[in-house]
Amino acid sequence: LPVYMMAQLTGAFLAAACVFSVYYDAIYDFSGGELQALGENGTAAIFATYPQAYLSIWNGLTDQIVSTGLLVVLIFALSDKFNPSTPLALNPFVVGLVVVAIGTGLGYNCGYPINPARDLPPRLFTFIVGYGADVFHPMGKSWWWIPVVGPLIGAICGAFIYQIFIGIHTKPDRPVSTAVEDGETFEIVPTGSHGRGQLNEVFLPDEGVSERIISF
């Protein structure tokens, strides 16, 4: 987990650096030769999220808890092998649509960061290259911690809500069965129905590979 977290944080920081280098001349031209975080010629919002002028700190925190919680609930629903909803191959595409839907419906307040790695490293980058302290305290608000703490709380709440209301109720009624074919061991888990057939999850423990099949 720590390696995964560091990879996300580092990747977001490097991505911000790449965008800044590609649009270096355009950014300086638009801002009149001086980097500005906010205002008519501000460009810091290219890299990180900032609240609307009317948004309070606590309303922003609520926004991030709700948005991220909704995202996690839907990701759990898509990835729960006992709650088949879409073909496995389509899950990344559907998750992308979920993010777009959340951004469209809940993005007006502060741009829906919904991921600490998406917001904090680019914000640090803008501070390093000269945007100033306004990237942490826009319009006098101590905003920088909201896109970090809010999604962490929201993710935990979303996971808890899914497990309580759906996850613990979708376990198979029958135990996992085991089969051996050509020297390989398969675990077969009934996960629901598909038309007139039984939808099963076939798992190869030795290879960490799973596949859904329909048996009639």
Side-chain angles (χ1 to χ4, degrees), residues 111-190:
Y112 73 108
I114 59 175
N115 183 351
R118 173 260 176 275
D119 196 86
L120 183 59
R123 194 179 302 275
L124 289 172
F125 175 81
T126 54
F127 176 74
I128 291 171
V129 297
Y131 277 89
D134 283 347
V135 299
F136 295 110
H137 306 283
M139 296 170 286
K141 303 174 182 178
S142 182
W143 173 257
W144 68 271
W145 63 275
I146 296 297
V148 177
V149 176
L152 293 176
I153 297 174
I156 294 172
C157 292
F160 180 80
I161 290 170
Y162 183 84
Q163 292 299 336
I164 291 297
F165 291 99
I166 300 177
I168 62 175
H169 306 290
T170 58
K171 303 305 180 186
D173 296 329
R174 290 178 288 169
V176 175
S177 59
T178 303
V180 178
E181 182 177 339
D182 296 332
E184 289 188 300
T185 301
F186 298 83
E187 293 179 356
I188 304 175
V189 183

Side-chain angles (χ1 to χ4, degrees), residues 4 8 20 23 28 33 40 45 52 65 67 80 96 99 111 134 149-151 162 188 190 213:
Y4 178 78
Q8 282 211 348
F20 185 77
Y23 288 101
Y28 269 94
E40 185 177 343
Q52 297 279 9
I65 292 174
S67 299
D80 187 350
V99 173
D134 283 347
V149 176
Y162 183 84
I188 304 175
I213 63 171

Side-chain angles (χ1 to χ4, degrees), residues 32-209:
E34 181 181 355
L35 294 177
Q36 301 177 45
L38 302 172
E40 185 177 343
N41 297 107
T43 53
I46 295 172
F47 304 94
T49 60
Y50 292 88
Q52 297 279 9
Y54 63 79
L55 191 68
S56 68
I57 289 296
W58 298 112
N59 194 183
L61 182 64
T62 302
D63 177 286
Q64 283 309 287
I65 292 174
V66 172
S67 299
T68 311
L70 178 60
L71 173 66
V72 169
V73 166
L74 293 173
I75 289 177
F76 269 49
L78 290 168
S79 60
D80 187 350
K81 65 182 180 181
F82 298 118
N83 182 40
S85 52
T86 60
L88 289 175
L90 287 180
N91 276 357
F93 176 73
V94 177
V95 170
L97 293 180
V98 166
V99 173
V100 170
I102 291 174
T104 303
L106 298 172
Y108 184 72
N109 279 339
C110 55
Y112 73 108
I114 59 175
N115 183 351
R118 173 260 176 275
D119 196 86
L120 183 59
R123 194 179 302 275
L124 289 172
F125 175 81
T126 54
F127 176 74
I128 291 171
V129 297
Y131 277 89
D134 283 347
V135 299
F136 295 110
H137 306 283
M139 296 170 286
K141 303 174 182 178
S142 182
W143 173 257
W144 68 271
W145 63 275
I146 296 297
V148 177
V149 176
L152 293 176
I153 297 174
I156 294 172
C157 292
F160 180 80
I161 290 170
Y162 183 84
Q163 292 299 336
I164 291 297
F165 291 99
I166 300 177
I168 62 175
H169 306 290
T170 58
K171 303 305 180 186
D173 296 329
R174 290 178 288 169
V176 175
S177 59
T178 303
V180 178
E181 182 177 339
D182 296 332
E184 289 188 300
T185 301
F186 298 83
E187 293 179 356
I188 304 175
V189 183
T191 58
S193 59
H194 188 283
R196 293 176 297 170
Q198 171 67 41
L199 183 62
N200 295 315
E201 184 91 8
V202 178
F203 182 66
L204 284 67
D206 295 337
E207 300 180 18
V209 177

